[in-house]
C-alpha cells in the first residue's frame, strides 16, 4: 500500500512515517504543496494524506486538482481547526476524511485502514441508479435529472449514491455519516445537514417534484413526492 504524505511539519512527518511504516505501508513524503501536487500527478498512490496549511499550494487546492484527475483515490485532510466550516471546506474540495491536530497515531492508523477498506470492498453492481427522472451512473460518476447534467462535488456524489441505493428507506444522520464518510464525526457538528442542503439545491431546487425529504426526529429519505410512506 503506497501512501503520499504532504506535510511541512517535520515532527508530524516523523510521527506518521514511523507509525504507518510499522504497519507495512510505503510512505512517500512531500514537504510543500507544489512538490506534493507534482508527486500525486507523476506517481500512483493508494491513499493521499494532506495537510491543509502548506507552503506553495494549500491542501484544499491540491485536493481539488487530484479529484479532477482521480475520483476514486482516498484523500485524508489534516487540519488544526475542527469547526464545521473547516470540515465542510475540506470535504467539499473532495476529501474523504479529516483528522484534527494534534491526533493520536492509533486514530490515524484506524482512519487509514477504514479508507483503504472502502476501495478493497468495492464489488461489481448495477451501474445505473434511478428514481423518478433522476439517474446516477456509478461508472462515470455522473448524475442527470430530466436529462440535465448535475454538477456534483465528490462528497455530494457519495451522499446521493447512498441515498439512491437506499431509496424509500429513512436514514439516520449516524448511518449517513458512517457510510458516506466511513468515520464517526463529532455529533455536535451538522455536516450531514449541510451536505443534504447542498444536494437539495442541485437535485430538487429547480424541479417541481422533490426527491429528498426530511423525516423529523429520524433523518432523511429519498423518495418520489407522491409516494405514501405512512
Amino acid at each position: 500500500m503506497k501512501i503520499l504524505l504532504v506535510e511541512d511539519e517535520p515532527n508530524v512527518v516523523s510521527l506518521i512515517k514511523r507509525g504507518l511504516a510499522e504497519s507495512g505501508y510505503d510512505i512517500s513524503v512531500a514537504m510543500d504543496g507544489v512538490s506534493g501536487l507534482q508527486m500525486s500527478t507523476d506517481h500512483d498512490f493508494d491513499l493521499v494524506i494532506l495537510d491543509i496549511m502548506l507552503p506553495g499550494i494549500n491542501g484544499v487546492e491540491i485536493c481539488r486538482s487530484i479529484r479532477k484527475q482521480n475520483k476514486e483515490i482516498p484523500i485524508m485532510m489534516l487540519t488544526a481547526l475542527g469547526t464545521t466550516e473547516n470540515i465542510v471546506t475540506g470535504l467539499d474540495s473532495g476529501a474523504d476524511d479529516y483528522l484534527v491536530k494534534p491526533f493520536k497515531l492509533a486514530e490515524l492508523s484506524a482512519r487509514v485502514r477504514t479508507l483503504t477498506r472502502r476501495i478493497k470492498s468495492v464489488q461489481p453492481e448495477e451501474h445505473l441508479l434511478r428514481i423518478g427522472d433522476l439517474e446516477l451512473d456509478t461508472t462515470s460518476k455522473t448524475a442527470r435529472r430530466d436529462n440535465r447534467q448535475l454538477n456534483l462535488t465528490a462528497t455530494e456524489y457519495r451522499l446521493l449514491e447512498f441515498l439512491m441505493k437506499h431509496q424509500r428507506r429513512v436514514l439516520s444522520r449516524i448511518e449517513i455519516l458512517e457510510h458516506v464518510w466511513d468515520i464517526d464525526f463529532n455529533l455536535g457538528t451538522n455536516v450531514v445537514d449541510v451536505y443534504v442542503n447542498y444536494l437539495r439545491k442541485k437535485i430538487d431546487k429547480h424541479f417541481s417534484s422533490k426527491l429528498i425529504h426530511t423525516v423529523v426526529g429520524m433523518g432523511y429519505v429519498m423518495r418520489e413526492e407522491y409516494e405514501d410512506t405512512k
Side-chain angles (χ1 to χ4, degrees):
M1 181 71 66
K2 297 176 64 177
I3 296 176
L4 172 62
L5 170 62
V6 188
E7 169 63 64
D8 65 327
E9 295 183 41
N11 291 339
V12 177
V13 170
S14 177
L15 173 68
I16 294 176
K17 280 194 68 174
R18 183 176 65 255
L20 295 184
E22 289 176 357
S23 299
Y25 296 105
D26 180 9
I27 315 296
S28 297
V29 178
M31 299 290 288
D32 63 81
V34 174
S35 57
L37 180 58
Q38 189 64 51
M39 288 174 68
S40 72
T41 302
D42 294 345
H43 305 282
D44 291 326
F45 293 98
D46 300 296
L47 172 70
V48 178
I49 301 175
L50 278 174
D51 187 19
I52 289 183
M53 300 303 294
L54 291 164
I57 306 174
N58 67 48
V60 171
E61 293 303 318
I62 295 173
C63 187
R64 288 176 179 149
S65 296
I66 293 175
R67 278 287 171 254
K68 289 179 182 178
Q69 305 171 49
N70 187 335
K71 290 183 178 294
E72 300 297 334
I73 186 170
I75 299 175
M76 178 189 296
M77 298 285 251
L78 303 179
T79 174
L81 299 174
T83 65
T84 296
E85 182 180 356
N86 282 275
I87 293 167
V88 168
T89 297
L91 295 174
D92 208 26
S93 68
D96 300 279
D97 194 358
Y98 76 96
L99 193 57
V100 178
K101 296 179 180 179
F103 53 83
K104 293 183 179 180
L105 186 57
E107 183 179 7
L108 172 68
S109 298
R111 300 285 187 93
V112 168
R113 287 194 299 271
T114 298
L115 287 173
T116 53
R117 267 202 310 270
R118 176 191 294 172
I119 299 302
K120 291 178 181 178
S121 64
V122 171
Q123 300 293 329
E125 58 183 16
E126 177 61 43
H127 74 283
L128 287 178
L129 302 175
R130 296 185 180 89
I131 179 170
D133 56 357
L134 175 64
E135 180 180 280
L136 185 142
D137 189 324
T138 61
T139 300
S140 63
K141 309 294 184 187
T142 57
R144 304 178 69 86
R145 184 161 189 194
D146 193 25
N147 289 321
R148 288 184 243 174
Q149 186 81 30
L150 303 173
N151 183 25
L152 303 177
T153 66
T155 305
E156 290 167 351
Y157 169 83
R158 289 199 307 275
L159 175 57
L160 177 60
E161 182 180 32
F162 184 64
L163 292 172
M164 291 187 71
K165 283 182 176 179
H166 299 85
Q167 54 188 271
R168 292 180 290 279
R169 176 184 156 197
V170 178
L171 300 167
S172 70
R173 289 170 176 80
I174 298 298
E175 285 181 281
I176 295 172
L177 284 171
E178 290 177 347
H179 289 85
V180 175
W181 284 277
D182 278 344
I183 54 176
D184 296 323
F185 278 76
N186 182 322
L187 299 185
T189 68
N190 61 339
V191 170
V192 170
D193 303 303
V194 169
Y195 271 91
V196 167
N197 286 333
Y198 283 172
L199 198 55
R200 274 178 166 152
K201 290 177 182 177
K202 297 181 179 181
I203 299 300
D204 285 339
K205 184 176 180 180
H206 302 292
F207 300 90
S208 58
S209 175
K210 309 307 179 187
L211 296 176
I212 302 175
H213 303 269
T214 301
V215 182
V216 178
M218 298 180 68
Y220 296 99
V221 60
M222 175 162 267
R223 60 176 173 80
E224 292 188 76
E225 203 163 35
Y226 62 81
E227 294 179 12
D228 187 359
T229 59
K230 294 182 179 179

